[in-house]
Amino acid sequence: MKKIIYPNDDGGVSVVHPASTKYTIEQIALKDVPAGKPYRIIDITEIPTDRTFREAWEADFSEP
């Protein structure tokens, strides 16, 4: 299962959990990621399961 991540304005990482099968993951990213923000489409296994330090999550968006 794929998820979309992008940097948020608070310095963390936002995660988009697509619920619709009406659109492709790329279409959802273009629709839901704020304009001008880089994003990555990743596998759910890349997202930490421990949400204790969620505000400290980081990701490399140098090559979105």
Side-chain angles (χ1 to χ4, degrees):
M1 180 172 279
K2 299 291 183 180
K3 304 293 181 182
I4 303 161
I5 61 171
Y6 65 92
N8 62 39
D9 293 336
D10 296 327
V13 177
S14 293
V15 181
V16 177
H17 303 273
S20 173
T21 56
K22 182 177 177 181
Y23 302 102
T24 66
I25 191 95
E26 291 84 4
Q27 290 171 321
I28 293 169
L30 292 174
K31 179 176 73 70
D32 292 345
V33 174
K37 294 278 187 185
Y39 67 88
R40 291 182 49 210
I41 297 171
I42 63 171
D43 192 81
I44 192 171
T45 60
E46 295 182 62
I47 298 173
T49 55
D50 182 356
R51 297 175 54 94
T52 305
F53 299 106
R54 177 152 189 215
E55 296 299 319
W57 288 359
E58 296 179 349
D60 180 6
F61 293 100
S62 63
E63 292 195 34

